[in-house]
Every structure is written in C-alpha cells, then in structure tokens.
Amino acid sequence: MDRECFLVYDSYRFSGRDFMVLACFGAEDRRLLYIRFFDESDRSLVGKVYVARVEKHIAGIGVFLVTPDSHVFVREKDSRAVVYIKRQSQKKELSQGDLVLVQIERDAIKSKEPLGGFVITIKTPYFLLKRPGEGISFSKRLSASDRERLSTIRHADGALLLRTAAGEADPVWLKQAIGEAGETLDGILADGANHTGPALVWQDNDLLNRLMSAFPFARNHLFVSRIISSDKSVCDRLGEISRLYQDQGLGLLDLYRIRTITDDLLKKEVWLRSGANIVIEQTEALTVIDVNSAKAGRSDAFSINMEAAREIMTQIRLRNISGIIITDFMKMDSDQQRSSVMSVMRQMGQMDFARVTVEGFTRLGLLEMTREKLFASVNQTLTGRINYDTISSVDAQ
C-alpha cells in the first residue's frame, strides 16, 4: 500500500554557492525520509539524450562513449537495444567510432563516469514511454479495474509503462500526453539522425518530471501528494500539485528545520540518546563508522549497538552514503547479539530507496555492508570533497 509523502523544494545558499534543496517528508509524522541538493551552477545530466561516439566495447563489462559534455559508461546488460546513427561495421555490434543515441541515467559519482542507457525514455509521473520497445505494461500497484480501463489506450511505437498515478488521471488527457511523448521521441530520433558527431539532442525541461524522478519513490511505495515552495515561479511551473508557502515570519527551510538538519549531516559525529555516539569517516574508497560509549554511562554494549544500528541506517540514507560501509560496533558477547544487530539493519535497509546489502561480521568483528550508488552524497554535493573537514555552521542564509 502506498504511503503519502510531500516534497519541500526551495533555494538554498551554502558557502557562496546557490543550490536547490529537495526534501521528502512522510505526510503523517513529517519525518524526513530523503534529502538532496542540486548545484545550480552545475546542472545534472540525467535525462539528457546525446549522439555519442563509441570509444571501446569490452565484452562482459560494457561500452565506453564520449559526448560533448562528458564520458559515459553503459553496462553490458543495458547495451542490447541500440539506436545507431552511424555504424563502422554492419556485422560487428558497437564498434569503435560508431555513433549511437544514449540517455544519461545517473550523474557522475566520485570518480565514476555518468551512467547511460541506449533505450530512450520519456518519463512523466503518469507513464514511461521507451524506444526501442513495444507493448503496454502496468504498475503492480494499479488496481485490476484501472488496468482494464487503461488497457484500451493505444500508443505510438514504443514500450509504454503506465504508473500508479495513471489510475487517477483523466483518460482523454492521458492519451493526449502519451501521444505528445511519442511525438517527442520521433523528434529525438529524427534530430539524432542529422548529426555527424557527438551532440546534445534533447533535454527534459519539465520541472515536475525532474522532481518526481529525483528519488525512486516507487521502491518505497511512496505517493507524492504535494510539492511546497516559497518561489511563485516554481509553483507556476509545477502546476496543481504545488503549494505556495507565503509566511513572511518563518521561512520554509526554517519551518522544516532543513538548515539545522543539513548542518548535522555535514558533521562526522552523531550523538545518540543514550549518550553514546557514532563517528562517520567518508573516504574515496569506503566509509568507516565507529560506535563509542562516550557519555553512555551504565548502558551495556549490546543496547548501545542496537541504538547505533538504527541511527547508522538513518544517517547513510539521509547523507546518501554509498559503496562499501564498514562499522566497528562495540564488542558483543554472542552470535545472537550480532545477529540481532544485523536483523535491525536489514529491516531498516528495506525502507531505503537505494539497495542495501548487509553482508555480515568479519573475523575481526567489523560489520560489512554495501549501498547502491545512485547520486552524490550530501557532503560531496555541498562541499565538493569526499573527506570531511570540520564544519562549524552552515551558511544557508
């Protein structure tokens, strides 16, 4: 069953640079679920379609390409359906020098190139239309009656996926929107065919699509009911789903404590209610987390570890820490206690929008886990650094 959430989208200034902050809150308890910052001076490439030149194709690994803006990597499993602009060989697939269409799926993270795909997709909150592809499919959360009603929709060439929100949309409007998306895809393919070298072909300037694609809401069965902003021009672009915040006495970011939260997310040390703390060291290769009793007094190691396990899972989700994560818990007396800690972390990992895998304890008693890389961490986006420096306050005036 979908849970209702809302988004706060507003301008944010940090260390002399302008960002837009997007925060997702649960509708019932107003608990922060996710937060993300967009650097206004360094626009995201996600969703852009390029004519790209193949640099090399490594079997079993993937394809390396170059565009006017960056190098791009496409995984081998995503390289089966290709729209060629120019081929060097009619027999050999993806030869060096081939010109192909590629769409950016993920921005560069740390030292990794942007991740792309050869299937070109028009994304909206109501549907996805892809080429190459064919047929119609439905979100698993659409009711049987909605599926039957929407199955009569006919669409142009391509694979159509109707999302959960399509069940609430007017069928006439939905059919028109799908038709317009088909025309957009026609234009992308036609424009791409006119280029003789790497070039930007298309970018989605629809702000609503951008925000609704910022987090994989569907993974967590989240339904976005409204987007709040204090910027009237933003609300005008978002349409009916937007809510304009106009209280002059209390700023929107202050109302939802976003400045305070961000300040805390940039600190290495996180204090727990028991008086214990965790220290988070984020580096290029991995993230190391240390659990300390600190001021916990008479609290036993196991109860501190259980409290720390819950906070660690919250912190890596909000900070968007990815890759390898190693945690040094306080020494535990039994395998049952270690199993209980892992169970809590795996349960909370299911609430994350990124895939989390808790591997287990090593012979040295360190807990190993990994978290899927989807986009840059809060620390890297705001500071441009992997390693932490001491940050006393956040310049978000």
Side-chain angles (χ1 to χ4, degrees):
M1 183 177 179
D2 286 349
R3 295 179 294 148
E4 184 180 341
C5 66
F6 64 91
L7 306 180
V8 172
Y9 184 66
D10 220 54
S11 58
Y12 188 98
R13 189 164 181 81
F14 177 82
S15 295
R17 294 164 62 198
D18 293 321
F19 296 85
M20 294 300 292
V21 59
L22 180 67
C24 175
F25 293 87
E28 293 184 2
D29 55 9
R30 291 196 172 190
R31 182 169 61 92
L32 179 65
L33 301 176
Y34 317 121
I35 189 167
R36 187 173 178 184
F37 296 85
F38 300 94
D39 187 344
E40 290 300 279
S41 65
D42 183 21
R43 293 284 186 175
S44 169
L45 299 180
V46 172
K48 290 185 177 181
V49 178
Y50 293 92
V51 171
R53 177 177 286 113
V54 175
E55 287 190 317
K56 57 183 174 180
H57 178 202
I58 302 177
I61 301 296
V63 188
F64 296 85
L65 309 104
V66 62
T67 74
D69 295 325
S70 69
H71 288 78
V72 179
F73 174 68
V74 177
R75 294 170 295 196
E76 183 73 13
K77 67 177 183 178
D78 299 325
S79 63
R80 293 175 177 83
V82 184
V83 178
Y84 287 94
I85 302 302
K86 179 183 177 182
R87 300 186 66 168
Q88 300 297 320
S89 170
Q90 294 300 317
K91 295 181 179 180
K92 186 178 179 181
E93 297 290 331
L94 292 166
S95 303
Q96 184 178 7
D98 283 350
L99 293 178
V100 299
L101 285 184
V102 65
Q103 186 169 32
I104 308 302
E105 298 177 354
R106 188 185 73 193
D107 284 314
I109 300 176
K110 299 180 182 178
S111 60
K112 304 290 186 182
E113 303 98 336
L115 186 67
F118 292 133
V119 175
I120 310 304
T121 306
I122 303 297
K123 295 182 179 180
T124 79
Y126 303 95
F127 63 86
L128 276 65
L129 187 61
K130 305 179 180 182
R131 291 188 192 168
E134 60 183 14
I136 182 171
S137 57
F138 303 91
S139 164
K140 293 180 179 179
R141 289 180 297 280
L142 272 173
S143 67
S145 59
D146 282 335
R147 292 188 189 193
E148 182 178 358
R149 176 172 56 85
L150 297 173
S151 63
T152 58
I153 291 179
R154 297 290 179 265
H155 64 283
D157 293 340
L160 175 66
L161 169 64
L162 293 175
R163 309 175 86 166
T164 306
E168 304 296 327
D170 175 64
V172 175
W173 173 86
L174 185 61
K175 184 177 180 180
Q176 179 182 350
I178 293 170
E180 292 173 354
E183 292 175 0
T184 299
L185 281 173
D186 290 338
I188 291 172
L189 298 177
D191 189 15
N194 292 327
H195 291 281
T196 58
L200 174 64
V201 176
W202 179 81
Q203 57 183 328
D204 189 355
N205 293 316
D206 191 314
L207 179 60
L208 179 58
N209 288 348
R210 179 187 181 192
L211 299 187
M212 297 297 281
S213 301
F215 302 113
F217 295 106
R219 290 190 188 180
N220 297 93
H221 304 281
L222 291 172
F223 171 71
V224 179
S225 61
R226 61 192 184 280
I227 303 174
I228 306 171
S229 179
S230 63
D231 189 326
K232 187 176 183 304
S233 64
V234 166
C235 290
D236 289 342
R237 292 171 63 190
L238 292 175
E240 294 182 358
I241 196 173
S242 67
R243 300 291 184 273
L244 179 62
Y245 182 81
Q246 295 179 294
D247 191 333
Q248 300 299 318
L250 182 65
L252 181 60
L253 300 185
D254 296 318
L255 175 64
Y256 290 99
R257 299 182 61 253
I258 290 176
R259 291 193 179 99
T260 301
I261 290 169
T262 304
D263 192 1
D264 291 340
L265 292 178
L266 290 172
K267 295 176 180 177
K268 291 197 299 184
E269 201 170 54
V270 180
W271 287 93
L272 308 179
R273 289 186 177 182
S274 64
N277 68 15
I278 62 175
V279 179
I280 304 172
E281 296 279 359
Q282 189 179 351
T283 72
E284 177 73 25
L286 51 79
T287 298
V288 179
I289 302 175
D290 189 28
V291 180
N292 304 300
S293 58
K295 303 175 183 179
R298 298 182 179 181
S299 299
D300 64 277
F302 176 61
S303 63
I304 291 175
N305 286 339
M306 290 292 282
E307 182 184 13
R310 295 185 180 91
E311 186 61 31
I312 287 168
M313 298 306 290
T314 299
Q315 289 295 320
I316 66 172
R317 170 170 46 83
L318 294 181
R319 296 170 187 239
N320 194 41
I321 295 172
S322 58
I324 300 171
I325 303 168
I326 304 294
T327 303
D328 185 9
F329 284 100
M330 296 180 66
K331 186 176 180 180
M332 288 177 276
D333 298 327
S334 67
D335 289 339
Q336 182 177 356
Q337 289 185 348
R338 285 184 281 272
S339 178
S340 296
V341 168
M342 288 191 294
S343 178
V344 166
M345 298 181 81
R346 285 171 176 153
Q347 183 178 4
M348 291 193 66
Q350 295 176 0
M351 300 166 56
D352 202 327
F353 63 85
R355 294 184 180 90
V356 177
T357 303
V358 179
E359 299 289 354
F361 284 89
T362 69
R363 292 177 62 183
L364 294 178
L366 305 174
L367 183 67
E368 296 178 315
M369 63 184 293
T370 60
R371 185 170 180 271
E372 182 183 17
K373 298 178 182 179
L374 294 178
F375 42 82
S377 68
V378 168
N379 179 66
Q380 186 181 6
T381 303
L382 290 180
T383 70
R385 297 186 297 272
I386 301 298
N387 295 314
Y388 284 88
D389 289 335
T390 302
I391 297 175
S392 59
S393 65
V394 174
D395 175 19
Q397 302 303 318

